[in-house]
Amino acid sequence: MLDEQQLVTPAGLGEEAVRSIVRDELERAQKRDPAGKKAAFIASQGTLDWAYPPLILATTAAASGMDASIFFTFYGLNIIHKDFEHMLKVSPLGNPAMPMPVTMPNLVLGLPGMGPVATSMLKSKFAGKHVATIRELLESCQELGVRLIACQMTMEVFGYAESDFVDGVEFGGAAAFLAEARHAHTTLFI
């Protein structure tokens, strides 16, 4: 029986030569189109349930070898605010897909205290399924080199200072993010 090194293709090349040719072609393709290794996300929502998607997608992209960045604008700034654990809440009102233990009319869902109940329920459900917390996801983003970019215009509108945000956050406008996004094959608005 022949080993892999002894196999010969119809062109007379051994398997190692074919592997080398394929590796070279992949490297050349990557040099021609480096955008295939970039992902850019926009986080515009500031609730707990909307904080997860951009962080999970960015950490997954970075863990798979992609350069990833998240541009936080409008209420998405809550995700990277130093006080994110208190700012990120869930509102059951106007969120018909949110599973509740029993069906409740909107009148009840709008009562004071229902927001904290819904937030606590979601946190408990995630913890029970061993889903990473927002803090853990932010730490993973930083460890994996995900660029966290706060929108300067939105910061000015809302009266935020750079010191209001977690360490490692960069600050830039839409043009800075677009410079990042235009070199990415994957760009998602969340």
Side-chain angles (χ1 to χ4, degrees), residues 155-183:
M155 288 172 55
E156 291 172 17
V157 168
F158 291 164
Y160 289 138
E162 289 184 7
S163 61
D164 291 328
F165 297 94
V166 296
D167 293 335
V169 170
E170 301 173 37
F171 305 92
F177 175 73
L178 287 174
E180 191 74 13
R182 74 185 187 127
H183 296 292

Side-chain angles (χ1 to χ4, degrees), residues 54-134:
L55 297 175
I56 290 171
L57 288 167
T59 55
T60 302
S64 67
M66 297 177 81
D67 294 329
S69 62
I70 308 172
F71 183 69
F72 298 89
T73 188
F74 285 85
Y75 309 112
L77 288 174
N78 289 353
I79 301 168
I80 52 172
H81 193 279
K82 283 184 178 174
D83 196 25
F84 68 86
E85 289 172 321
H86 293 102
M87 295 175 83
L88 297 176
K89 298 180 180 356
V90 178
S91 174
L93 189 61
N95 194 353
M98 184 172 188
M100 297 298 279
V102 293
T103 304
M104 295 184 202
N106 279 341
L107 182 63
V108 173
L109 296 175
L111 290 174
M114 289 306 291
V117 168
T119 300
S120 178
M121 282 176 45
L122 186 62
K123 285 182 178 181
S124 176
K125 184 176 284 259
F126 279 14
K129 298 294 182 182
H130 308 290
V131 175
T133 65
I134 298 300

